[in-house]
Amino acid sequence: MSEQKPAWMEMGLSSEEYAKICDILGREPNYLETGLFAVLWSEHCSYKHSRPVLKNFPTEGKYVIQGPGENAGVVDIGDGQALVFKVESHNHPSAVEPYEGAATGVGGVARDIFTMGARPIAALNSLRFGSLEDPRVRHLFSGVVEGIGGYGNRLGTPVVGGDIFFHPSYQGNPLVNAMCVGLVDHKRIVRGLAAGPGNLVVAAGAKTGRDGIHGCTFASEEFSEETEAPDVQRGDPFLESLLIEACLELMEKGYVVGIQDMGAAGLTSSSAEMAGRAGTGIEIDVSLVPQRDEGMTPYEVMLSESQERMLLVIEPQHRQVVMDIFAKWGVEAAVVGRVTEDGIYRVLDGEIVVAEIPVKALTDSPVRYPEQREPEYYQRLRNWKPDDLPVPEDLNSVLLKLLSSPNIASKEWVYIQYDHQVMLNTIVGPGADAAVLRIKGTKKGIAMTTDGNPRYCYLDPSRGGAIAVAEAARNLSCVGAEPLALTDGLNFGNPEKPEIFWQIKQVVEGMSEACRSLEIPVVSGNVSLYNETKGEAIYPSPVVGMVGLLPDVKRCTTSAFKDSGDLVVLLGKFHPQLGASEYLAVIHGLEQGEVPEIDLAEEKQVQLCCRELIREGKIKSAHDCAEGGLAVAIAECCIPGQRGATINLPFAGREDALLFGEVQSCILVTCTPRELDSVLKTAEKAGVTAAVLGETGGRHLIIRDRAERALINQHIEEMEKVWRGSIASYF
Amino acid sequence: MKFGVVFFPGANAADCFYVIDQLIGHPVSPIQPEERELDGFDCIVLPGGFSYGDYLRAGALAAATPVIEQIADFAEQGGLVLGIGNGFQILLNTGLLPGAMRKNESLRFRCHDVFLRVENSRTPFTNRYHQGEVIKYPIAHGEGNYYIDSEGLAQLEQNGQVVFRYCNEQGEVIPAANPDGSVRNIAGICNVKGNVLGLMPHPERCSEEILGNTQGLRLFLSVLDWWGIHTQEGVMTDE
Amino acid sequence: MFEAAVYVTLKKGILDPEGKAIKNSLKSQGYDQVEEVTTGKYFLLKIKERDRTAAEEELRQICEKFLVNMVLEDYSFELREVDR
Amino acid sequence: MFEAAVYVTLKKGILDPEGKAIKNSLKSQGYDQVEEVTTGKYFLLKIKERDRTAAEEELRQICEKFLVNMVLEDYSFELREVDR
Ligand SMILES: Nc1ncnc2c1ncn2[C@@H]1O[C@H](COP(=O)(O)OP(=O)(O)O)[C@@H](O)[C@H]1O
Ligand SMILES: [Mg+2]
């Protein structure tokens, strides 16, 4: 056997961290204690690399009820109601076992929602995968989609949206970020507090097994012999649906002092974090924890990541009634410890104390400040100019090619595998700029979306970050919703590399700036680092999950052209750029150039204007210009509306840039000729440029330049065929 | 008359309950799977979803609960039983309806709108539709591939037990309009007496203006009609 | 105590799309010696019963009333006595 | 020609919610002598191969690359020579 490393090193602690632990304890930690520190001080639980960066995010605003720090963020939607939402990554597990990895991701984030007292009412997911040409990628992608459906459909939570981006940088390391949104009355919001010394700690749900221990540390020496603890966990969505009902009933009846799901680092993190928030101590007796496997060690029980488990704090006099309610729902539960006042985190194995650490020491982990350095590629790629790029002759076939690019093509193959209608609230389902749900018993609607363009974030992390926020907000504005707040998923490579840390900082700075300008605070989020294969990092991949509010859900709109003879109007300044575009990547095989500029003040006005037009019922459709540029955006309105349009571009420039160049802060809307004046007036009042581009109707999309030359003349059936069939054609 | 909706854990009983309670405004009570006595019900709904996770086979575990025996007696006495989606699967597992459900031919779950041709408008559940009418309902299932042997099929056809068939917008019953591989595009069947109906598509999901489609409401209103309750107060009128 | 292994397969004449899909996929990967793939289910049950006949009778009931969908599926089982 | 029966079960320590649900249901139906239910998959393959070793090697590959999810599942098989 080669030289044996000390346990703390195997577990990923640095020597400074280990010294600090010895210092805190005044002695060396035992094996279990070392393990507890290792998981709680890991990047996943402690955000040691990202915490100082995350401070940049604005987290307060008029709608915010609960910002970051709890299991999920909470925003006010009026009438005494609130939305609870969060995004969570399950990247690594999905790469190992796509179905279960994605499924347990969906289950995990749903627990973060109902743990706050909210009933999950919608799920979304943001996926990043390598090229579908690769059979392994197809296997992963198909498995992930099936897993999201397999779990989400069984939970009875509609999967209403998400976004997908394919790029070779995800070939070996796909990203699966799941978002869940819940609805709660203000007075029912419950937090993750282990308050009230003398109160009981209850573990409920699945029995604790050996699964997932590898997820936190690499220490395998102490696994009891016959075992090879499985790396992946399987989910039990049926049990989760019972857990939801049981926990919500308990919370509604007022029996819950505090509650938290056992997510990453299971019992350890949930109990330590709950005590940390409440400023109490906590005692857990591992021998009382219901166990699935025989002969589990205290270390295994504490670090297991078995799914579908919750930790509750209740008052002793409610013990019986709480157990009865769990029993009624067929959920196993056991008292496993108690809240203390000494501020100590104590683990017992029956009578024996097996770990004893101040709670604060576990939860106040040291921060690491990695170096940052601008990567070499940044200036080089950014300085590229399209001057020497030839303009393709056949622009019609370019349009078809773009429509069939999996990044632009319809994602129908994916979302028809999700039940998006259950609960009877879905007004606008997947496939739109944003999903819209009604809130039963009110006139209100809520809208939600996820977004993030990794190519932009690679070529210009700060601008890419800002665009991710702006675009998510724009998507909400396109259905008529006012953005309330966002949750973010920050997916990056190894932060210890200065270039990666630079990307993280830049992205967060860009996002924060957009959040401030657009007045959209961050209320929750997730960080996933070390997304690399063979030393190659993924593209910087922030995911923005945003929710918005519609005062009257009947006044929402979609992108489809509704009637023939309507006018097509472009809101916003049109200055398309070829840099960083899908066109450049798909047609010319280049990923370089300047990322589209964004003027956040203008962005705000364009969105405001669009929302006002929708609210006043002046426009019939709205769709933002995103990947693929103006031509693709118009095609995306033609296809679902099953009608063409004739467009006369009033702009000058290279044809390919006009058609396929990408631009920010632009929204395509339609109105009747009679409403036009009123639409233009509203735009003018908002200080927003508006240009009439043409008229809807016919079976063709015709786009002419200023000289009235037809650049595009394409039958909608042709466009629909390639757009709808593209992703399906890989399976 | 009174409706009951069975609340199997894992199923979406709340949706059917909402439609009856809020949209047609009719008395309805929840029924628990452990129930060993059913009193005063006239129509019992087995809702869609994933009862007991659909573990083993879709609907198999729900079919083994105590309430099912009661429902079988109830149906025997002529009570109306409606199984939607998972409810249909349960009815097949109990033998109250003939045949069996298999995984969709595509082996994937599918959730989207389909067109249906009403093949029998004389049942208590379909009298508000016209014979041969083409309607649009959503489906959401992974195991909706209906199977029955040829003998059983002949009987179904002969007795007019095929109530809905998947078709295209023009009403043509063609393979391209079949979302799951069901024999003869069958989407819904009833028993010989016509008082038990099972269908895979979801009428409760298209019963409200705001959801963009109200064609499913007529199925629930048919039940009221059948009971001689026409334009009762609180009942939404047909479009 | 008995341990029962139950094998469930589709009845003859009923199409097995999963088996077909697997076979096609195998073929496209070059495994063309595989002539047929049939998919089925496999259950292992531990039954606490002293008597083999009783265990067998019980198992048969469980299969026909519950585990097996008799409209679609055939089954067979093996029962062996075990210590625990 | 060989006929192979492949038995696939979940690895030890991996959750089997289906098995649990089936067991609970059996219990509520009065079959409380059933102490444990494990679910698995069962495949039958016809392999056109003369030689047992070759067939065995091929089957092993097929299992590990296709039929079995080696992250979650274990498998075993039986191979027997048949006429056709
Ligand atoms: N990128 C982020 N931006 C803002 N808040 C974040 C971010 N990442 C995590 N958080 C917040 O930190 C807290 C802990 O998150 P996390 O550890 O991911 O939760 P969990 O324990 O459920 O996995 C949550 O309140 C979460 O919303
Ligand atoms: Mg949490």
Side-chain angles (χ1 to χ4, degrees):
Chain A
M1 204 191 217
S2 64
E3 213 173 300
Q4 201 157 11
K5 283 197 209 159
W8 55 266
M9 200 182 281
E10 292 269 337
M11 294 178 191
L13 288 165
S14 70
S15 47
E16 299 88 72
E17 284 167 344
Y18 187 70
K20 189 157 180 218
I21 292 167
C22 296
D23 206 37
I24 290 168
L25 297 179
R27 61 179 165 84
E28 294 213 1
N30 64 28
Y31 188 85
L32 172 60
E33 289 166 337
T34 310
L36 299 179
F37 274 109
V39 292
L40 280 167
W41 287 15
S42 72
E43 175 59 39
H44 192 100
C45 290
S46 79
Y47 297 93
K48 59 186 163 196
H49 293 101
S50 48
R51 233 187 303 154
V53 178
L54 297 179
K55 280 212 189 87
N56 262 312
F57 284 139
T59 58
E60 279 164 26
K62 59 181 171 190
Y63 300 108
V64 177
I65 293 175
Q66 174 68 59
E70 268 290 336
N71 287 298
V74 186
V75 293
D76 182 22
I77 55 165
D79 306 318
Q81 292 176 309
L83 291 182
V84 179
F85 62 101
K86 163 137 203 266
V87 76
E88 182 90 56
S89 62
H90 243 213
N91 303 336
H92 181 67
S94 304
V96 177
E97 175 19 54
Y99 183 98
E100 297 298 343
T104 52
V106 171
V109 73
R111 286 194 294 282
D112 278 331
I113 302 310
F114 73 77
T115 199
M116 305 287 298
R119 180 174 290 278
I121 57 167
L124 298 92
N125 55 85
S126 184
L127 309 178
R128 306 284 179 265
F129 280 81
S131 162
L132 287 177
E133 303 288 341
D134 180 336
R136 166 97 191 134
V137 171
R138 289 202 294 275
H139 162 76
L140 291 175
F141 184 64
S142 156
V144 160
V145 169
E146 217 180 310
I148 291 169
Y151 205 105
N153 297 345
R154 279 181 171 74
L155 264 193
T157 308
V159 183
V160 297
D163 69 311
I164 309 179
F165 192 87
F166 298 97
H167 187 274
S169 80
Y170 306 106
Q171 213 81 352
N173 194 323
L175 303 182
V176 178
N177 284 208
M179 172 173 166
C180 187
V181 182
L183 179 68
V184 66
D185 286 342
H186 290 188
K187 55 176 194 286
R188 298 254 180 263
I189 297 169
V190 180
R191 293 186 167 80
L193 294 177
N199 282 342
L200 304 178
V201 178
V202 174
K207 285 192 167 84
T208 296
R210 282 199 176 91
D211 41 1
I213 299 173
H214 281 176
C216 312
T217 101
F218 301 107
S220 48
E221 294 96 332
E222 201 165 291
F223 286 125
S224 28
E225 60 275 22
E226 94 259 33
T227 62
E228 207 190 279
D231 281 336
V232 284
Q233 302 122 53
R234 279 188 92 210
D236 181 352
F238 175 58
L239 175 57
E240 176 122 328
S241 70
L242 299 177
L243 257 184
I244 292 179
E245 298 306 332
C247 291
L248 289 181
E249 179 175 340
L250 285 168
M251 289 188 261
E252 191 162 315
K253 293 192 168 153
Y255 295 135
V256 177
V257 177
I259 176 170
Q260 178 156 332
D261 70 297
M262 299 193 218
L267 188 49
T268 299
S269 66
S270 51
S271 53
E273 285 171 15
M274 285 176 78
R277 288 195 201 100
T280 53
I282 199 164
E283 216 173 75
I284 303 285
D285 181 347
V286 290
S287 71
L288 300 177
V289 176
Q291 295 167 24
R292 196 172 80 227
D293 297 325
E294 276 162 36
M296 290 180 71
T297 65
Y299 179 91
E300 289 169 330
V301 174
M302 292 306 294
L303 269 64
S304 158
E305 292 191 5
S306 293
Q307 299 289 303
E308 288 94 20
R309 296 179 302 157
M310 303 294 286
L311 197 69
L312 292 84
V313 170
I314 61 166
E315 292 174 16
Q317 70 269 25
H318 295 142
R319 180 183 187 140
Q320 196 51 49
V321 50
V322 167
M323 293 299 152
D324 288 348
I325 289 175
F326 275 124
K328 180 183 93 182
W329 286 104
V331 172
E332 192 168 347
V335 171
V336 300
R338 60 190 185 98
V339 179
T340 61
E341 52 193 340
D342 59 6
I344 299 292
Y345 188 86
R346 192 173 292 111
V347 182
L348 306 170
D349 186 359
E351 304 278 275
I352 313 158
V353 175
V354 288
E356 208 165 23
I357 305 169
V359 171
K360 281 259 163 295
L362 286 172
T363 55
D364 297 352
S365 54
V367 173
R368 281 188 194 168
Y369 296 95
E371 266 179 75
Q372 59 161 325
R373 189 187 311 132
E374 185 181 292
E376 165 280 325
Y377 75 79
Y378 176 60
Q379 293 296 341
R380 178 169 48 88
L381 295 181
R382 186 190 153 93
N383 289 335
W384 175 85
K385 294 278 178 294
D387 306 340
D388 296 333
L389 195 75
V391 178
E393 254 167 47
D394 184 357
L395 295 166
N396 272 308
S397 67
V398 171
L399 176 61
L400 290 184
K401 212 158 170 196
L402 281 176
L403 287 172
S404 71
S405 156
N407 284 339
I408 288 175
S410 164
K411 309 299 186 290
E412 189 178 285
W413 183 85
V414 173
Y415 63 68
I416 68 167
Q417 299 186 51
Y418 305 147
D419 185 343
H420 44 84
Q421 300 173 317
V422 62
M423 295 183 110
L424 308 185
N425 297 321
T426 310
I427 308 295
V428 179
D433 284 335
V436 179
L437 304 191
R438 54 102 174 254
I439 303 291
K440 284 199 195 94
T442 75
K443 277 175 69 182
K444 283 181 310 213
I446 58 165
M448 59 219 92
T449 183
T450 65
D451 243 301
N453 180 323
R455 190 182 291 129
Y456 289 179
C457 292
Y458 175 71
L459 292 173
D460 190 338
S462 158
R463 199 177 280 178
I467 289 176
V469 172
E471 204 168 320
R474 203 182 311 133
N475 284 341
L476 296 185
S477 294
C478 280
V479 298
E482 182 192 350
L484 298 178
L486 68 83
T487 177
D488 65 290
L490 301 180
N491 306 275
F492 292 90
N494 179 353
E496 293 157 47
K497 294 183 186 167
E499 289 81 5
I500 301 286
F501 194 66
W502 178 85
Q503 289 176 336
I504 300 175
K505 266 196 89 166
Q506 292 279 314
V507 161
V508 170
E509 274 167 22
M511 290 174 72
S512 302
E513 197 197 333
C515 288
R516 281 199 190 88
S517 296
L518 303 175
E519 295 177 76
I520 306 170
V522 175
V523 296
S524 61
N526 179 256
V527 177
S528 167
L529 304 179
Y530 303 96
N531 289 291
E532 305 205 347
T533 356
K534 300 197 192 107
E536 281 295 311
I538 57 162
Y539 269 11
S541 309
V543 170
V544 172
M546 200 180 283
V547 302
L549 183 66
L550 293 108
D552 179 0
V553 73
K554 287 192 176 141
R555 284 278 161 95
C556 79
T557 191
T558 61
S559 62
F561 286 153
K562 304 292 182 304
D563 295 294
S564 297
D566 286 340
L567 298 177
V568 181
V569 179
L570 183 71
L571 302 178
K573 285 204 194 87
F574 190 63
H575 43 77
Q577 280 163 241
L578 288 175
S581 66
E582 183 74 11
Y583 162 76
L584 201 59
V586 170
I587 306 297
H588 300 281
L590 301 173
E591 289 191 287
Q592 51 200 31
E594 194 183 344
V595 170
E597 280 168 51
I598 180 160
D599 175 339
L600 291 164
E602 188 188 327
E603 177 77 51
K604 194 171 177 181
Q605 288 311 110
V606 170
Q607 292 190 25
L608 207 76
C609 174
C610 179
R611 294 200 298 269
E612 193 176 327
L613 290 170
I614 293 172
R615 216 159 283 180
E616 290 173 358
K618 287 182 184 160
I619 56 177
K620 293 193 188 169
S621 73
H623 183 41
D624 78 315
C625 284
E627 287 87 359
L630 184 66
V632 165
I634 301 174
E636 286 170 346
C637 302
C638 290
I639 297 169
Q642 286 298 303
R643 68 191 78 243
T646 305
I647 304 293
N648 296 295
L649 294 178
F651 313 110
R654 310 169 44 127
E655 291 91 342
D656 56 351
L658 290 178
L659 294 172
F660 311 117
E662 294 177 13
V663 59
Q664 289 300 301
S665 320
C666 280
I667 299 179
L668 273 170
V669 304
T670 52
C671 65
T672 61
R674 261 187 42 206
E675 288 285 2
L676 180 65
D677 275 348
S678 155
V679 168
L680 295 179
K681 218 169 275 157
T682 305
E684 198 187 328
K685 245 186 21 217
V688 169
T689 317
V692 179
L693 299 188
E695 191 180 322
T696 61
R699 301 291 295 163
H700 290 258
L701 169 60
I702 299 165
I703 305 180
R704 303 202 187 97
D705 66 6
R706 280 207 299 192
E708 304 212 349
R709 225 166 18 108
L711 305 177
I712 297 288
N713 185 350
Q714 196 65 256
H715 199 281
I716 53 171
E717 237 165 64
E718 194 70 20
M719 298 194 294
E720 175 164 14
K721 210 171 68 197
V722 297
W723 178 76
R724 229 182 261 289
S726 173
I727 291 181
S729 73
Y730 289 95
F731 296 92
Chain B
M1 77 150 292
K2 189 173 165 193
F3 284 93
V5 177
V6 186
F7 275 62
F8 291 114
N12 308 316
D15 288 358
C16 287
F17 198 89
Y18 166 84
V19 169
I20 299 165
D21 185 43
Q22 300 286 313
L23 301 184
I24 68 172
H26 215 78
V28 53
S29 297
I31 298 173
Q32 298 308 320
E34 295 77 29
E35 203 64 68
R36 286 172 200 276
E37 228 170 289
L38 288 180
D39 255 345
F41 291 104
D42 301 295
C43 177
I44 291 179
V45 182
L46 304 176
F50 288 82
S51 54
Y52 302 92
D54 270 358
Y55 296 153
L56 181 56
R57 282 188 313 275
L61 294 172
T65 55
V67 75
I68 289 299
E69 268 171 54
Q70 305 302 312
I71 291 175
D73 289 347
F74 173 80
E76 177 70 26
Q77 289 154 28
L80 301 188
V81 179
L82 169 62
I84 302 171
N86 196 235
F88 186 13
Q89 294 161 338
I90 295 168
L91 290 174
L92 295 174
N93 274 294
T94 59
L96 281 176
L97 290 174
M101 222 40 108
R102 312 182 47 202
K103 276 191 196 166
N104 292 352
E105 217 165 38
S106 65
L107 303 176
R108 293 178 187 280
F109 188 91
R110 299 183 68 151
C111 174
H112 55 79
D113 282 338
V114 295
F115 291 101
L116 301 174
R117 200 169 74 188
V118 180
E119 303 284 74
N120 181 347
S121 64
R122 294 172 311 278
T123 77
F125 308 93
T126 53
N127 56 60
R128 281 257 188 152
Y129 299 104
H130 311 295
Q131 186 77 17
E133 186 179 346
V134 178
I135 56 176
K136 189 166 83 177
Y137 272 20
I139 54 164
H141 59 247
E143 287 182 49
N145 180 355
Y146 180 72
Y147 170 83
I148 189 163
D149 60 23
S150 48
E151 221 170 288
L153 181 64
Q155 271 178 16
L156 279 186
E157 299 278 12
Q158 219 165 46
N159 302 336
Q161 286 174 258
V162 178
V163 181
F164 298 107
R165 263 188 244 272
Y166 299 111
C167 64
N168 64 10
E169 196 166 359
Q170 287 71 44
E172 296 159 330
V173 177
I174 51 171
N178 189 340
D180 47 31
S182 294
V183 283
R184 298 265 178 95
N185 284 38
I186 288 175
I189 58 168
C190 62
N191 60 350
V192 176
K193 280 195 288 181
N195 62 319
V196 178
L197 173 73
L199 76 168
M200 286 317 292
H202 288 272
E204 83 282 12
R205 294 181 176 195
C206 51
S207 288
E208 204 175 357
E209 200 67 57
I210 197 167
L211 300 178
N213 182 356
T214 56
Q215 299 191 359
L217 194 63
R218 281 193 277 160
L219 187 134
F220 296 96
L221 293 177
S222 294
V223 175
L224 295 185
D225 260 15
W226 195 77
W227 276 88
I229 305 167
H230 291 285
T231 342
Q232 205 190 345
E233 208 166 336
V235 173
M236 272 176 62
T237 47
D238 202 358
E239 74 262 58
Chain C
M1 178 78 97
F2 288 86
E3 198 175 79
V6 181
Y7 313 99
V8 182
T9 48
L10 284 170
K11 282 204 166 123
K12 226 182 136 138
I14 295 193
L15 217 68
D16 178 7
E18 235 172 326
K20 216 171 74 184
I22 294 171
K23 196 196 128 191
N24 288 343
S25 162
L26 285 173
K27 195 160 190 173
S28 78
Q29 304 286 318
Y31 294 100
D32 30 21
Q33 307 90 321
V34 177
E35 297 234 313
E36 204 186 308
V37 180
T38 316
T39 63
K41 293 181 195 161
Y42 174 52
F43 300 96
L44 289 166
L45 283 80
K46 288 220 173 108
I47 305 179
K48 208 167 142 188
E49 195 75 70
R50 287 265 165 75
D51 172 54
R52 172 172 284 271
T53 332
E56 218 172 281
E57 176 46 30
E58 192 168 322
L59 187 57
R60 201 175 303 278
Q61 268 187 35
I62 287 173
C63 285
E64 301 194 357
K65 289 216 303 208
F66 185 58
L67 276 189
V68 184
N69 185 342
M70 299 297 289
V71 178
L72 294 169
E73 297 167 336
D74 279 335
Y75 74 99
S76 62
F77 62 75
E78 281 160 26
L79 200 63
R80 76 194 170 88
E81 194 153 5
V82 289
D83 284 351
R84 209 222 83 86
Chain D
M1 178 78 96
F2 288 85
E3 198 176 79
V6 181
Y7 313 99
V8 183
T9 48
L10 286 168
K11 281 199 171 133
K12 209 178 144 150
I14 301 252
L15 195 70
D16 181 7
E18 293 203 34
K20 206 176 66 182
I22 294 169
K23 194 197 126 190
N24 288 344
S25 173
L26 284 172
K27 195 163 189 172
S28 77
Q29 295 175 59
Y31 295 104
D32 30 21
Q33 306 90 321
V34 178
E35 296 234 314
E36 204 185 308
V37 179
T38 317
T39 64
K41 293 180 198 156
Y42 175 54
F43 299 95
L44 288 167
L45 283 82
K46 287 219 173 110
I47 305 180
K48 207 167 143 189
E49 193 76 70
R50 288 267 165 74
D51 173 52
R52 171 172 285 270
T53 331
E56 217 170 283
E57 176 47 29
E58 192 168 320
L59 186 58
R60 202 175 301 279
Q61 272 186 32
I62 288 172
C63 284
E64 301 193 358
K65 285 213 255 178
F66 284 95
L67 289 185
V68 184
N69 181 341
M70 297 298 289
V71 179
L72 298 170
E73 297 168 335
D74 280 334
Y75 74 100
S76 62
F77 62 75
E78 280 160 27
L79 201 62
R80 76 197 169 87
E81 194 153 5
V82 288
D83 285 351
R84 207 223 84 85

